[in-house]
Amino acid sequence: MDGSAEAAATRTRSLQISPGDLEAAHLDDLIREIEQRSLYYYQEKNKSLRARYVYGTIFLIINLCAWFIRDYAQKALALLPRKNVSSCGPEGSDCFHTLGVLRVSLGCFIFYLVMFLSTWNTRKLHEFQNSWHSNYWSFKFLLLVLAMVASFFIPQLYIQIYGEIARVGAGIFLGLQLVSVIEFITWWNNYWMPHDQSKHSCSFGLVMSTVFYIGSVSGIAVMYYFYAACVLNMFFISCTVVILTVMMVMSLHSKVKNKGLLSSGIMASYIVFLCWSAIRSEPLHTKCNAQTQNGHTDWVTILSFLIAIGAIVMATFSTGIDSESFRFEFRKDEAKEEEDIPYSYGFFHLVFSLGAMYFAMLFISWNLSHSSREWSIDVGWTSTWVKIVNEWFAAAIYLWKLISPIVRQPRVYEQPQPTAAEVDR
């Protein structure tokens, strides 16, 4: 009897739970669910950000493999039992030097192209493509090895065709890199030279623009002193002087004002660097290159080579994560949501696939007919002219970006003033 009374009392108390208690319990569950979802997105986003460095490290290792195959693989193979591979020709000659670099580049290109095709439409962190981009490293490592091995069984004719295509892909990569650099320079200028003209920010921007301009002029003077050994170099340096003058005049235009002052100074330094790099790429044993290279492999040459490889990887990496500058998959005026991916995976892998073509061209100096010297990179007349054209193209893009708001600005037409007779009427 007592047990039945206690059970009835329990049922009565359960029926007496207020709606407020139910709402509070539901609210607690909702908050817990939101926190768990936020934690999940946070972890997935961190995985995605860490994955960028893994892909960059893979790209660096592939660059080092291409260098080894170009310079030392044939010597190493001589120490091993001879094995003939039909696609590599007699003694494996078609798998080393220039063709070996192209084969490694092709394997790298295939890997990143597969990653691009499998991730290009990724939008949210909960999609499978996000997990594929950030996980499954064992499977992706196997995919990379298969792509590399398969490229060494492709006939020589197709490798040469790929080399011609790689020239175009490398040119596209250079264009993307230029846009990324100019966008970064513009962002830095807007940060330090804001429209409200904060005293601290503008002062720093003016000082930095002065420093960059002084550095650019000093660089021009050094190039005139050391590298003006032939008419061609005089032409390159003089063209750079003209470009710097035009940029300075445009940045001081009344309608541009401080919007282009700092950016033009940074861009001037970048253009001077491209001119210097072009002159340094001139081939050995020529009148123009009397002061630039000694033809011997020393620690300076090795250090310069390693720095150049690091620059290739950094340029590819920085351009790959800068998808917003190109507005392929994102819009700058579009608000980011919590579940959105932190950067465009498809564009990231597309840039790395083009970067595979770019490093191949640098290792073979854009020339498919002969092999490069040991510990050299991007040396030859083709490399020189590619950098000079790159310099001119960069200047043209920047100047257009500087004046385009003025050109596109709608004209304001004044209304004709009424005559005295019209006023009387």
Side-chain angles (χ1 to χ4, degrees):
M1 185 68 180
D2 293 339
S4 60
E6 184 177 353
T10 302
R11 288 195 299 270
T12 303
R13 284 195 300 268
S14 64
L15 293 175
Q16 290 177 350
I17 296 177
S18 65
D21 294 337
L22 292 175
E23 291 179 2
H26 179 70
L27 183 60
D28 290 341
D29 293 340
L30 184 60
I31 292 174
R32 192 177 300 109
E33 182 180 353
I34 292 174
E35 290 177 348
Q36 291 176 352
R37 188 186 304 118
S38 297
L39 179 61
Y40 169 77
Y41 290 146
Y42 175 78
Q43 293 174 345
E44 290 298 314
K45 192 168 294 186
N46 282 342
K47 286 182 182 179
S48 172
L49 295 175
R50 289 195 298 267
R52 300 180 304 176
Y53 300 102
V54 178
Y55 288 113
T57 303
I58 292 173
F59 191 75
L60 173 61
I61 294 173
I62 294 174
N63 274 260
L64 295 175
C65 290
W67 157 70
F68 178 80
I69 288 176
R70 186 194 71 174
D71 292 349
Y72 297 107
Q74 192 168 20
K75 298 176 184 178
L77 187 66
L79 305 176
L80 301 176
R82 303 291 178 87
K83 292 185 179 181
N84 292 325
V85 180
S86 59
S87 60
C88 290
E91 304 295 331
S93 58
D94 293 342
C95 290
F96 305 110
H97 305 300
T98 297
L99 292 176
V101 171
L102 291 176
R103 291 179 186 277
V104 173
S105 170
L106 178 58
C108 181
F109 170 77
I110 292 173
F111 172 73
Y112 283 105
L113 181 63
V114 171
M115 294 304 302
F116 161 70
L117 295 175
S118 58
T119 60
W120 71 274
N121 200 30
T122 310
R123 290 287 189 275
K124 304 297 182 181
L125 291 169
H126 55 74
E127 296 178 358
F128 174 75
Q129 292 95 322
N130 173 73
S131 180
W132 164 243
H133 170 79
S134 306
N135 300 299
Y136 302 100
W137 292 110
S138 298
F139 184 81
K140 284 185 286 192
F141 176 75
L142 178 61
L143 176 64
L144 176 63
V145 171
L146 290 176
M148 288 293 177
V149 173
S151 65
F152 282 86
F153 287 88
I154 298 176
Q156 176 186 351
L157 175 62
Y158 297 104
I159 297 298
Q160 291 176 335
I161 293 175
Y162 168 75
E164 298 292 344
I165 298 174
R167 284 177 170 173
V168 179
I172 296 173
F173 175 85
L174 282 175
L176 295 177
Q177 182 184 354
L178 280 179
V179 174
S180 179
V181 169
I182 293 174
E183 285 292 326
F184 172 75
I185 292 174
T186 303
W187 171 83
W188 210 32
N189 179 82
N190 293 335
Y191 182 80
W192 289 111
M193 306 288 285
H195 296 293
D196 57 1
Q197 297 189 358
S198 171
K199 292 182 179 180
H200 175 74
S201 296
C202 281
S203 298
F204 180 82
L206 291 173
V207 170
M208 290 304 298
S209 61
T210 303
V211 170
F212 279 113
Y213 270 118
I214 292 175
S216 302
V217 174
S218 301
I220 292 292
V222 169
M223 285 193 292
Y224 269 124
Y225 183 80
F226 287 104
Y227 305 135
C230 63
V231 177
L232 184 61
N233 284 355
M234 289 285 292
F235 170 72
F236 289 158
I237 301 171
S238 300
C239 282
T240 304
V241 172
V242 173
I243 291 173
L244 297 190
T245 304
V246 173
M247 288 171 51
M248 181 179 294
V249 171
M250 290 303 304
S251 64
L252 296 175
H253 192 276
S254 59
K255 293 186 177 180
V256 176
K257 297 181 181 178
N258 67 318
K259 297 178 183 176
L261 192 59
L262 176 59
S263 63
S264 61
I266 304 173
M267 196 66 191
S269 300
Y270 181 64
I271 287 176
V272 170
F273 166 76
L274 289 177
C275 181
W276 172 82
S277 181
I279 293 175
R280 292 282 299 179
S281 294
E282 292 170 350
L284 301 175
H285 312 302
T286 61
K287 180 181 178 181
C288 290
N289 203 3
Q291 299 288 337
T292 57
Q293 308 268 356
N294 56 20
H296 300 292
T297 301
D298 53 11
W299 70 270
V300 177
T301 304
I302 295 174
L303 181 61
S304 301
F305 178 81
L306 296 176
I307 292 175
I309 292 181
I312 295 171
V313 176
M314 287 302 300
T316 307
F317 182 84
S318 60
T319 305
I321 62 177
D322 191 25
S323 58
E324 293 190 4
S325 294
F326 306 91
R327 302 186 184 187
F328 279 6
E329 296 192 42
F330 295 108
R331 295 182 59 86
K332 292 184 180 180
D333 55 351
E334 197 174 74
K336 287 289 191 69
E337 298 180 0
E338 186 182 27
E339 66 268 22
D340 288 342
I341 58 176
Y343 56 95
S344 173
Y345 301 158
F347 181 78
F348 178 82
H349 293 297
L350 176 63
V351 170
F352 270 84
S353 64
L354 295 174
M357 297 181 173
Y358 178 64
F359 84 69
M361 291 298 104
L362 296 188
F363 275 113
I364 67 176
S365 298
W366 301 79
N367 197 324
L368 305 180
S369 59
H370 67 85
S371 181
S372 301
R373 183 174 58 90
E374 288 186 4
W375 293 101
S376 67
I377 186 169
D378 204 17
V379 175
W381 286 119
T382 305
S383 298
T384 297
W385 279 104
V386 166
K387 291 180 179 179
I388 287 296
V389 173
N390 191 32
E391 174 195 344
W392 296 343
F393 188 53
I397 292 178
Y398 174 75
L399 288 174
W400 170 249
K401 188 176 182 62
L402 202 63
I403 66 175
S404 59
I406 302 174
V407 175
R408 296 175 180 178
Q409 188 175 7
R411 296 182 179 179
V412 179
Y413 295 94
E414 294 184 359
Q415 295 293 333
Q417 296 295 329
T419 62
E422 291 175 342
V423 171
D424 294 337
R425 287 199 297 267

